[in-house]
Amino acid sequence: MQQENKDLNNEKTFSLPSKIICWALCALCMAVIFWFSSRTALESSAQSDIFLKFFQSIFGDGFITDFMVRKSAHFTEFAGLGFLFALAFYIQFGKTKTPFAVLCASLYAVTDEIHQIFVDGRACRVQDWAIDTAGALLGALFIFAAVIIAEHAKKRRAAQINN
């Protein structure tokens, strides 16, 4: 009876190992973000300078180039976390939970910014939290779109088989 309810609600079921792997990937991504945030301002700058020099050779030197490189790192790492949270929620519950994925990543972004207060040369910035949350939204929406596209394709195949 419970399986019928899940089918009627259009929910999928996944194995326990799949669920554990997805949540472990979320934890791993959070650990990587924590590690990046633990690096001092000098270490962080040295790391991003490689990318900065590349983009400066294309776009020129200036505040905009520096801003783009440094903030795109925030955006990218949280896009990955938003993607992983959305995937984990989908695997756990059998349907998309995009708002919850974005909320979890955004709350982690808050803790990340607070953590940076205690790192030499780093600071807590609302702007960085907003960039992190925007990245998380994009990552989570990628899973949402993939699920919608896959479900649409499945319905089209089923309709073609029935006709």
Side-chain angles (χ1 to χ4, degrees):
M1 185 72 160
Q2 187 175 0
Q3 183 62 36
E4 290 174 16
N5 289 341
K6 286 190 176 204
D7 289 341
L8 289 175
N9 291 332
N10 204 18
E11 294 177 10
K12 315 287 184 272
T13 56
F14 295 93
S15 68
L16 182 60
S18 298
K19 294 174 183 179
I20 291 170
I21 289 169
C22 285
W23 289 111
L25 288 172
C26 289
L28 179 63
C29 185
M30 292 165 71
V32 168
I33 291 170
F34 183 87
W35 180 77
F36 279 128
S37 293
S38 296
R39 300 177 59 85
T40 66
L42 288 175
E43 292 169 328
S44 180
S45 289
Q47 197 171 20
S48 62
D49 279 349
I50 297 166
F51 297 103
L52 182 60
K53 288 178 183 176
F54 172 74
F55 285 107
Q56 284 175 339
S57 70
I58 296 171
F59 300 110
D61 192 10
F63 172 76
I64 297 298
T65 309
D66 185 55
F67 178 83
M68 285 176 21
V69 168
R70 298 195 193 288
K71 298 312 174 188
S72 66
H74 279 266
F75 187 88
T76 303
E77 61 190 14
F78 277 89
L81 185 59
F83 175 91
L84 290 172
F85 268 129
L87 180 63
F89 277 115
Y90 180 71
I91 297 296
Q92 181 71 42
F93 298 106
K95 58 184 178 179
T96 58
K97 302 275 187 181
T98 305
F100 292 109
V102 175
L103 179 63
C104 287
S106 182
L107 289 173
Y108 188 70
V110 169
T111 67
D112 181 57
E113 291 304 314
I114 292 169
H115 166 232
Q116 289 182 42
I117 293 171
F118 304 101
V119 178
D120 188 37
R122 305 291 293 266
C124 176
R125 293 189 176 96
V126 173
Q127 175 188 20
D128 288 348
W129 164 80
I131 291 168
D132 296 345
T133 301
L137 177 61
L138 181 67
L141 286 175
F142 186 83
I143 291 293
F144 180 78
V147 168
I148 296 295
I149 290 167
E151 288 176 355
H152 181 69
K154 184 177 177 182
K155 286 178 185 176
R156 283 184 77 190
R157 275 193 306 269
Q160 289 173 348
I161 291 171
N162 291 335
N163 289 335

